[in-house]
Amino acid sequence: MKIRLRILTILSLLLWGTYIQAQQDTFRLDNDSASVANSINVEVLKDGKSVRISWEPPRETGEIIVARSSSIIDNPEKCYISDSLGKFPSGVGNSVNQIYDYNLKPGTYYYAVILAHHVRKKDVKLAANRNYTTIPIVIENNPPPQTNNNYPPANTTNNFPPANTNQPPPEEQKYLSDNARVTDISVKREGQYLRISWEPYPKGIQGETIYTIYKSAEPMSSMSLMRKAEKLAEVSHPENSFLDQDLTKSQTLYYGVSVKQGLKEVLPLVQNQSFIRQFYVFEQDKRKPPKESDEVTNPQFAYDEMHVKDLKATSVDGGVRLDWKAPDRADENTIYSIYQAIKPLSGGVSTFLGGNVKKLGEVGHPDTNVMVRMKPYSGAIYFGVTVKRGDLEDFTLTLDESFVAIGSGPAGPSEDNSNNQTADNNEKPKNDSNNNNNGNQDQNNQNNQNNQQNNQNGQNDQRQPLIVEQEEPSNEEIDRVLKDTYWKNEYGEAVKQLAAYASSNDIDIRGKAKFFLGMSFYRKGEYNKALKFFVQKDTKNYNPERTEFWTKQCLARIGGGRR
């Protein structure tokens, strides 16, 4: 009897332990699956060159990334190097659970759907046929023929339109007119978010017509400006609104909605019809409303307290001298940041986020001049000075006030600016002798002003401005650019930001920049441009084996008729 009791006790303990372990495994599996999408499905459209990707969103909310690769994306490493089709909201209002991948080249494709924040944390979970595909999508070399010029075929049969005159006949439904646009676009605030609404395209077809929502810091009135716009999401007809929740600062925004059907997309190029301008204030701004060209700046300080005045640039031996007048109520906590760019700095925050602006250094009040040491440059260079108070910095700069140009730019310094340089920075009244306007005494007046400034500073010799060195870029700097652009599959932005490093005096930096410029163009499908970088000596010196491999890949693509 005792032996039987012991055996039963041992068996009970084993069964209990197994049950507890199973419960823990189930709980762990349930937590892991919360971040995994379900039922991913990829369907080839009738044109034979485009696909529709759909999925059931994961229980965990966030932004979804749709990845594409020529091999199965069955591990995180493959996921990180796959092509990204964009980020889309998931599990929130106006979440996206299907997108379209248009105009694919002949080949084999696999797709995956993963949450963006797990990609950043590098803890992506993958489950076959749930959030990544295992069945290849094959795009043939000869897709179904399409009619030229996107015009509908002639109606040679007795197929009459249906009774609803707003619906085109079936053979015309897949063709978009050049005037196919949404109308009456509007933006309405909902708490801290903005809802974009529009009147749908009258001839839109459910499941076929797609509305793409764009956001930009500039008007969408031309094709060149449209290239700067950010794609927010795609929604299917008859959906007619989208909630933008990615708003963290006060700014001027432009929203646009395009109409896409099949391979054709009609972009938002008509203001107040298919794109609209909106002032967004993150916190209530107590100052006056912004002007047409201004962005909303920080409400805690007045405009004149966050901007320098009368910025002047003077070309001198070895570089450029910058002088400015202090903002209102400047104190020892006021910091001036000096920036350099090859384009005007009038675009507000978006200009500084584009990767084309370089911060040269900072100086503290009461210093209001710096010397920038730099090599000769034939084109126009722009210099700007921002005001920083604590953690607040205002980037809305104005030409000839807080940013200037030297060289062949429109705001290059003249002789008058150079002659008035010290006078503009002199904060004390001039002596009576300095009020003499006789042209023969200009030089003496200038010397008197210089002496007066020297006396104010308690120095026997003329005070020299602080010196800001224009340093060569470091390897850490280019790695940061690659991390923010190339490794996030933002190849267009990578090309823009890496271009500045391709002319570095450091052969290693120069070679690395050219190599990844070639890789960026390759990923964009521009193989001829990529090849121009891979065949350069600097690129080969950087990494001979990888350069040779990608050179052959470019030649194979070009020889195969793929650009």
Side-chain angles (χ1 to χ4, degrees):
M1 179 63 70
K2 292 183 179 180
I3 294 175
R4 288 180 179 178
L5 288 174
R6 289 177 182 174
I7 293 174
L8 289 174
T9 303
I10 293 172
L11 290 174
S12 299
L13 291 174
L14 289 174
L15 290 173
W16 179 253
T18 303
Y19 174 76
I20 295 297
Q21 183 65 38
Q23 290 293 323
Q24 291 177 347
D25 291 343
T26 302
F27 179 75
R28 188 182 303 109
L29 182 62
D30 189 59
N31 284 340
D32 289 343
S33 63
S35 64
V36 177
N38 287 289
S39 305
I40 186 170
N41 181 62
V42 182
E43 175 188 358
V44 180
L45 301 183
K46 294 180 180 179
D47 63 9
K49 298 190 296 183
S50 306
V51 299
R52 179 193 291 116
I53 307 106
S54 61
W55 62 91
E56 293 181 7
R59 296 196 305 273
E60 193 174 331
T61 61
E63 285 186 314
I64 280 284
I65 293 179
V66 181
R68 179 184 65 201
S69 178
S70 58
S71 60
I72 298 179
I73 310 173
D74 54 359
N75 61 58
E77 287 71 26
K78 291 183 180 180
C79 176
Y80 301 146
I81 63 174
S82 299
D83 294 331
S84 172
L85 302 184
K87 294 181 182 179
F88 310 94
S90 177
V92 294
N94 280 319
S95 63
V96 174
N97 63 354
Q98 74 169 16
I99 69 165
Y100 295 82
D101 193 8
Y102 292 104
N103 202 20
L104 291 167
K105 298 176 183 177
T108 302
Y109 297 94
Y110 296 85
Y111 293 87
V113 177
I114 57 268
L115 284 167
H117 59 271
H118 284 289
V119 175
R120 290 192 293 267
K121 294 178 182 177
K122 302 224 180 258
D123 60 353
V124 172
K125 301 292 190 300
L126 294 167
N129 299 319
R130 290 181 58 192
N131 65 344
Y132 76 86
T133 60
T134 58
I135 300 174
I137 297 298
V138 180
I139 303 299
E140 302 290 347
N141 284 315
N142 297 315
Q146 299 292 317
T147 311
N148 291 334
N149 299 324
N150 203 44
Y151 292 128
N155 189 3
T156 57
T157 64
N158 294 325
N159 294 328
F160 296 102
N164 182 3
T165 57
N166 288 329
Q167 279 289 345
E171 69 274 7
E172 296 184 15
Q173 289 185 3
K174 62 180 179 179
Y175 297 96
L176 266 187
S177 164
D178 291 336
N179 296 321
R181 291 187 175 90
V182 302
T183 56
D184 298 332
I185 187 170
S186 62
V187 179
K188 183 179 180 181
R189 183 162 186 146
E190 294 186 5
Q192 289 293 328
Y193 307 135
L194 293 177
R195 180 171 294 280
I196 303 94
S197 303
W198 60 90
E199 186 68 25
Y201 176 50
K203 297 181 180 180
I205 306 168
Q206 186 171 1
E208 294 289 338
T209 305
I210 302 299
Y211 301 119
T212 305
I213 299 92
Y214 294 91
K215 179 169 69 174
S216 178
E218 300 184 36
M220 303 180 194
S221 55
S222 67
M223 293 301 296
S224 60
L225 291 173
M226 274 300 306
R227 294 189 185 98
K228 302 178 182 179
E230 173 190 1
K231 182 179 178 180
L232 295 181
E234 291 182 341
V235 298
S236 298
H237 181 83
E239 186 70 36
N240 67 337
S241 71
F242 175 79
L243 187 66
D244 184 10
Q245 303 180 62
D246 186 18
L247 298 163
T248 57
K249 58 182 179 294
S250 299
Q251 55 191 311
T252 301
L253 295 169
Y254 290 86
Y255 287 99
V257 179
S258 72
V259 179
K260 184 191 296 183
Q261 198 164 293
L263 301 179
K264 186 173 180 179
E265 181 179 13
V266 179
L267 296 172
L269 303 178
V270 181
Q271 188 165 7
N272 297 325
Q273 177 181 329
S274 51
F275 83 87
I276 191 171
R277 182 169 180 250
Q278 175 73 18
F279 291 116
Y280 175 74
V281 183
F282 185 67
E283 295 179 356
Q284 185 61 40
D285 196 336
K286 299 180 181 179
R287 301 180 306 167
K288 61 182 181 180
K291 297 179 181 178
E292 182 72 11
S293 59
D294 291 339
E295 284 195 6
V296 179
T297 52
N298 196 284
Q300 299 187 25
F301 295 94
Y303 181 89
D304 290 337
E305 294 176 343
M306 292 297 294
H307 294 82
V308 301
K309 306 171 186 176
D310 297 334
L311 178 63
K312 298 292 189 298
T314 309
S315 297
V316 296
D317 291 339
V320 176
R321 171 172 170 151
L322 302 177
D323 295 86
W324 61 90
K325 290 182 179 179
D328 292 350
R329 304 175 69 178
D331 54 27
E332 65 274 5
N333 296 319
T334 304
I335 302 297
Y336 305 115
S337 299
I338 296 88
Y339 293 91
Q340 175 186 317
I342 58 175
K343 294 183 179 180
L345 298 169
S346 56
V349 177
S350 59
T351 302
F352 289 79
L353 297 178
N356 297 317
V357 179
K358 183 175 183 179
K359 185 174 182 178
L360 300 179
E362 294 181 345
V363 297
H365 188 79
D367 290 316
T368 56
N369 49 33
V370 296
M371 171 70 178
V372 181
R373 285 184 177 171
M374 57 181 294
K375 298 176 182 178
Y377 184 78
S378 58
I381 300 182
Y382 294 83
F383 291 95
V385 177
T386 64
V387 175
K388 187 176 181 181
R389 295 176 184 265
D391 294 331
L392 305 176
E393 186 173 4
D394 198 315
F395 295 96
T396 55
L397 305 187
T398 304
L399 182 62
D400 294 330
E401 288 289 332
S402 47
F403 85 89
V404 294
I406 66 169
S408 59
S414 63
E415 283 298 319
D416 293 339
N417 290 342
S418 301
N419 292 338
N420 294 331
Q421 186 67 51
T422 309
D424 289 334
N425 287 280
N426 186 6
E427 297 182 0
K428 287 192 175 184
K430 298 179 182 179
N431 296 332
D432 292 339
S433 60
N434 290 339
N435 294 328
N436 190 343
N437 293 325
N438 192 323
N440 296 329
Q441 295 181 354
D442 284 346
Q443 186 62 42
N444 292 333
N445 291 342
Q446 185 69 35
N447 292 335
N448 289 338
Q449 293 169 15
N450 288 338
N451 291 335
Q452 184 180 11
Q453 185 178 21
N454 293 338
N455 292 335
Q456 291 173 351
N457 297 328
Q459 298 177 350
N460 293 328
D461 299 322
Q462 184 179 7
R463 180 181 178 183
Q464 296 295 325
L466 297 176
I467 296 176
V468 177
E469 296 283 354
Q470 189 184 33
E471 300 177 349
E472 283 292 326
S474 63
N475 197 57
E476 291 76 14
E477 188 176 346
I478 193 172
D479 284 341
R480 189 193 75 252
V481 171
L482 291 172
K483 181 180 178 181
D484 293 340
T485 58
Y486 181 85
W487 297 115
K488 292 183 178 179
N489 299 329
E490 297 175 1
Y491 304 121
E493 190 62 28
V495 169
K496 295 178 184 178
Q497 297 196 31
L498 289 172
Y501 299 92
S503 57
S504 170
N505 291 328
D506 188 320
I507 186 173
D508 294 329
I509 298 293
R510 191 167 66 243
K512 188 172 186 177
K514 291 182 177 180
F515 175 83
F516 281 98
L517 278 167
M519 289 301 303
S520 298
F521 281 118
Y522 183 91
R523 296 299 184 191
K524 292 174 65 180
E526 300 178 31
Y527 306 117
N528 284 317
K529 292 183 179 179
L531 185 62
K532 291 180 181 179
F533 284 96
F534 288 138
V535 298
Q536 293 188 27
K537 182 179 179 181
D538 294 330
T539 312
K540 295 179 180 178
N541 290 337
Y542 168 68
N543 194 314
E545 293 80 14
R546 293 179 69 188
T547 301
E548 182 179 2
F549 173 80
W550 289 109
T551 299
K552 292 179 179 178
Q553 291 293 313
C554 286
L555 292 172
R557 296 285 181 138
I558 296 171
R562 300 183 183 182
R563 294 189 197 176

